[in-house]
Amino acid sequence: MSMFLDSAKVTVKAGRGGDGMVAFRREKYVPNGGPWGGDGGRGGSVIFKVDEGLRTLMDFRYNRIFKAKSGEKGMTKGMHGHGASDLIVSIPPGTTVKDAKTGKVIADLVEQGQEKIVAHGGRGGRGNIRFATPRNPAPEIAENGEPGEERELLLELKILADVGIVGFPSVGKSTLLSVITAAKPKIGAYHFTTIVPNIGMVRTKSGESFAVADLPGLIEGASQGLGLGIQFLRHIERTRVIWHMIDMAATEERDPFEDYLAINKELESYNLRLMERPQLIIANKMDMPEAEENLAVFREKLDQLYDEFDEKPQIFPISGISQSGLNPLLDATADLLDHTEDFLLYTEEDMEDEVYYGFDDQAPEFIISRDDDATWVLSGDKLEKLFVMTNFERDESIMKFSRQLRGMGVDEALRERGAKDGDLVRIGNFEFEFVD
């Protein structure tokens, strides 16, 4: 089984805030002790952090749920509960984090140590010391902790390489990588020998260096899911230069120029912006018979294709086996990289707006619907959060929640919808009677 994994779906859940405490000060020489219950601690957040020691998402194959700890409950003497530690999840550089429901990009993490909070911990509930007033100096009210944020995320790894090698299977991509770098890719005389991306560092004679990625061979229809290439086309997106390798000897009796057009079509179909990247054409297997004649025909057709353009891709005749023609290719690539900026992977439309973990002022405070059993159902983020943070073991807390509902206009809205005295009203799994 391959140990390379470049996509995963995970669930992250931040910790719940600790509950506030109801307590009273009872000391011999303090006759009017008053409330003394402290606040709960904040729940831990889930944070993704880049670790350059990781190369794949293999750690997420079996461990798909990440849950931070909850905060401690408030304590007596007005002491706060301890906040929970954040859960740090290590990910490899080049990982894109997306919301599984919306598809929006939450973060694109590429640098060592870069962090992103992907689920915020809930705040601790307030203790009864917070609710003391001149009218109610000894309140028996405390809040439950706020629930932590929970969401499903998609992780996509796009390896960090300056140059990506594309081409049909068995054109010599892995052989070239093994010659110019210390990488040891599997090489075989059959299609799809390469089933995972391989990466290596190149150092030119002038001392410049860059990273090269060899990807599984593409075939026609790869952008629609044929062959292995569709699984790894995403890795081309981070590269700044594309090496387009052609079997100029036509050892499999394919036309080199048709191969060139077919691969470009697949790149364009997968992501039109891939065509913005500069390409260098590598005419491989030039030590084979008929390669020179095929190269001459290829140049003629390429000239016709780019007749209306000021520039056309450079062609570098090489032989991976005999290691000839490599230095001009490497020097030209290093020079091109010096003048090529990074390409923007995501537009503003792709990115998720900065999340404010709290109430949305634009969202309705509550929604009223009716179930099949004629029960009125109340929902809405703000209302449900108030409900979860209410301690229903205390009569004063229940009365406070009732006042909050009335202040939000829930009672009036239910009357307008036709609710009558004695009708059942449900919030989550909690039911109560409507009193007109």
Side-chain angles (χ1 to χ4, degrees), residues 17 21 44 76 112 134 150 173 235 255 258 299 358 384 398 418 421 427 434:
M21 187 175 190
T76 188
Q112 168 65 10
E150 181 176 3
K173 300 186 297 295
H235 299 294
D255 181 82
E258 293 300 323
R299 288 185 187 276
E384 290 175 4
I398 296 174
D421 193 48
I427 303 176
F434 178 70

Side-chain angles (χ1 to χ4, degrees), residues 99-119:
D99 186 279
K101 293 183 179 178
T102 65
K104 291 288 188 179
V105 177
I106 298 171
D108 190 31
L109 305 172
V110 296
E111 299 177 2
Q112 168 65 10
Q114 189 175 356
E115 295 182 354
K116 177 65 178 181
I117 300 176
V118 293

Side-chain angles (χ1 to χ4, degrees), residues 95-216:
T95 302
T96 297
V97 184
K98 297 181 179 179
D99 186 279
K101 293 183 179 178
T102 65
K104 291 288 188 179
V105 177
I106 298 171
D108 190 31
L109 305 172
V110 296
E111 299 177 2
Q112 168 65 10
Q114 189 175 356
E115 295 182 354
K116 177 65 178 181
I117 300 176
V118 293
H120 293 76
R123 67 175 177 85
R126 292 176 291 178
N128 70 330
I129 197 171
R130 299 285 189 179
F131 295 96
T133 65
R135 294 181 59 184
N136 186 10
E140 295 189 14
I141 302 174
E143 290 178 334
N144 291 337
E146 182 182 41
E149 189 178 12
E150 181 176 3
R151 64 199 310 186
E152 283 191 332
L153 303 175
L154 290 175
L155 307 183
E156 291 184 352
L157 174 61
K158 301 178 181 181
I159 57 177
L160 299 173
D162 301 300
V163 178
I165 315 177
V166 299
F168 272 84
S170 300
V171 295
K173 300 186 297 295
S174 297
T175 299
L176 176 62
L177 186 71
S178 68
V179 168
I180 62 176
T181 75
K184 303 297 181 185
K186 183 178 180 180
I187 300 172
Y190 52 88
H191 285 192
F192 303 121
T193 309
T194 301
I195 59 175
V196 299
N198 297 299
I199 191 168
M201 290 299 298
V202 174
R203 181 172 292 276
T204 67
K205 287 188 175 181
S206 59
E208 297 176 284
S209 61
F210 53 87
V212 178
D214 157 37
L215 304 182

Side-chain angles (χ1 to χ4, degrees), residues 317-332:
I318 72 161
S319 171
I321 296 296
S322 64
Q323 302 184 22
S324 62
L326 299 181
N327 288 332
L329 170 65
L330 301 183
D331 291 339

Side-chain angles (χ1 to χ4, degrees), residues 363-375:
E365 292 186 328
F366 61 89
I367 299 171
I368 298 176
S369 58
R370 200 155 195 189
D371 216 338
D372 295 337
D373 59 0
T375 301

Side-chain angles (χ1 to χ4, degrees), residues 15-20 39-44 71-72 120-127 131 143-149 357-359 385-386 389 400 404:
R16 181 191 183 99
D19 296 341
D39 300 343
R42 186 173 185 83
E72 290 188 354
H120 293 76
R123 67 175 177 85
R126 292 176 291 178
F131 295 96
E143 290 178 334
N144 291 337
E146 182 182 41
E149 189 178 12
Y357 187 55
F359 299 138
K385 192 168 290 187
L386 289 174
M389 296 181 69
K400 176 175 177 286
Q404 288 174 321

